[in-house]
């Protein structure tokens, strides 16, 4: 297993075709400081062009919190000009996760609040354990969700439910979060990371070209009128239909063997 660090607070471990991006600032419950944000951005940038990675898991090195959101202690000392620059750094981190071209799964144990929950929302799936508490409490401290929350949450749970959660800023425990669709699965205590890694490995066994095309179609087509969405899907289909992976997949099926996928071209 290969491991590389991106600054002090972020690490990436690659095991086969699955990469795990770890938030590793336990003393501050992974509060998103400027340095942590830059680490996430750098890690995601390299993962996006890593031809061997087919799925990404984002987790925390400690069970008390996935991420408690923006580092308010750091933010309290910033001038307005510094705050504007800080905003750009944080936004790049959220965009880095959102733009990962391969499936991404968040592991939520403990608190995932504000920007922490937005990091999870930026993934394709969220696996939690019973200790999970999620929410977007930004209005309680005079701001709004700025890491994609106002756009990603309604796409998950609908406009009215998102409005209630964002306008109240309330925290939601694991069972209710699952019932409302705020997370996709709740495991036994301490089992979320193992479940997410197993899910990622199952995804990573599939065509890497197909995975990237399917994610592109899902993300690009979301919210479009159906005819436009079907055109997005057709364009994505064409990228795989005439690829080596399609030929290999058909051959492997007929020969009753595991497929040997090609490394995807990286734009």
């Amino acid at each position: 297993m290969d491991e590389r660090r991106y600054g002090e607070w972020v690490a990436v471990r690659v095991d086969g075709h699955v990469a795990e991006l770890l938030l590793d600032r336990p003393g501050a419950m992974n509060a998103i400081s400027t340095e942590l944000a830059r680490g996430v951005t750098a890690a995601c940038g390299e993962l996006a062009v890593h031809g061997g990675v087919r799925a990404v898991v984002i987790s925390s090195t400690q069970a008390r919190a996935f991420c408690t959101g923006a580092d308010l202690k750091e933010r309290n000392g910033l001038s307005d000009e510094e705050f504007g620059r800080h905003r750009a750094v944080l936004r790049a981190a959220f965009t880095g996760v959102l733009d990962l071209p391969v499936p991404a799964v968040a592991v939520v144990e403990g608190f995932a609040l504000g920007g922490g929950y937005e990091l999870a929302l930026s993934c394709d799936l969220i696996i939690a354990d019973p200790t999970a508490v999620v929410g977007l409490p930004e209005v309680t401290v005079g701001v709004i969700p700025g890491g994609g929350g106002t756009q990603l949450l309604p796409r998950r749970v609908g406009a009215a439910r998102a409005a209630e959660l964002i306008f109240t800023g309330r925290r939601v425990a694991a069972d209710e979060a699952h019932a409302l669709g705020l997370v996709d699965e709740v495991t036994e205590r301490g089992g979320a990371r193992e479940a997410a890694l197993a899910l990622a490995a199952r995804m990573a066994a599939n065509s890497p070209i197909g995975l990237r095309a399917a994610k592109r179609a899902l993300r690009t087509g979301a919210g479009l009128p159906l005819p436009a969405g079907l055109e997005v899907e057709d364009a994505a289909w064409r990228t795989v239909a005439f690829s080596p992976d399609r030929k290999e997949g058909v051959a492997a099926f007929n020969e009753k063997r595991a497929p040997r996928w090609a490394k995807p071209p990286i734009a």
Side-chain angles (χ1 to χ4, degrees):
M1 181 184 298
D2 296 328
E3 178 171 330
R4 180 173 178 180
R5 297 199 72 86
Y6 298 82
E8 188 174 358
W9 310 124
V10 176
V12 169
R13 297 172 184 162
V14 178
D15 186 6
H17 296 296
V18 175
E20 185 177 14
L21 190 160
L22 297 113
L23 306 177
D24 187 24
R25 195 187 179 199
M29 294 198 288
N30 295 327
I32 308 172
S33 63
T34 300
E35 182 178 348
L36 188 144
R38 285 178 173 149
V40 170
T41 302
C44 289
E46 291 199 7
L47 289 172
V49 297
H50 191 307
V53 169
R54 302 178 189 169
V56 174
V57 171
I58 300 183
S59 64
S60 169
T61 58
Q62 46 102 28
R64 189 180 176 194
F66 172 72
C67 174
T68 53
D71 186 339
L72 297 184
K73 290 183 179 179
E74 178 187 60
R75 184 173 291 184
N76 189 51
L78 299 177
S79 67
D80 286 351
E81 182 179 355
E82 291 169 332
F83 188 38
R85 292 196 297 267
H86 178 70
R87 159 69 173 163
V89 173
L90 263 63
R91 189 174 182 188
F94 296 117
T95 300
V97 176
L98 193 62
D99 286 351
L100 285 169
V102 297
V105 184
V107 177
V108 174
E109 296 176 332
F111 296 107
L113 300 173
Y117 184 48
E118 288 174 304
L119 283 177
L121 286 172
S122 297
C123 296
D124 301 292
L125 294 163
I126 303 173
I127 309 298
D129 85 348
T131 67
V133 177
V134 305
L136 296 174
E138 282 88 346
V139 296
T140 69
V141 292
V143 291
I144 68 167
T150 65
Q151 305 305 304
L152 295 170
L153 188 59
R155 284 168 167 77
R156 261 190 169 265
V157 300
R161 178 64 66 193
E164 182 264 321
L165 292 166
I166 291 171
F167 294 161
T168 63
R170 72 182 180 94
R171 301 179 179 190
V172 184
D175 285 345
E176 184 186 4
H178 187 217
L180 295 179
L182 301 175
V183 303
D184 300 298
E185 180 182 344
V186 177
T187 68
E188 73 278 2
R189 184 168 184 147
R193 178 175 175 270
E194 182 180 349
L197 288 170
L199 177 60
R202 184 177 176 185
M203 294 173 179
N206 296 317
S207 159
I209 296 174
L211 287 171
R212 287 169 178 258
K215 177 160 180 174
R216 187 165 62 250
L218 283 164
R219 286 293 179 90
T220 306
L224 293 178
L226 181 58
L230 291 173
E231 290 303 314
V232 167
E233 180 182 81
D234 186 67
W237 177 86
R238 290 178 183 279
T239 67
V240 295
F242 306 104
S243 73
D245 275 9
R246 193 268 301 175
K247 296 176 183 177
E248 171 61 15
V250 172
F253 177 83
N254 285 299
E255 296 167 16
K256 297 181 173 56
R257 60 171 174 79
R260 296 183 289 269
W261 304 118
K263 182 177 290 189
I266 305 300

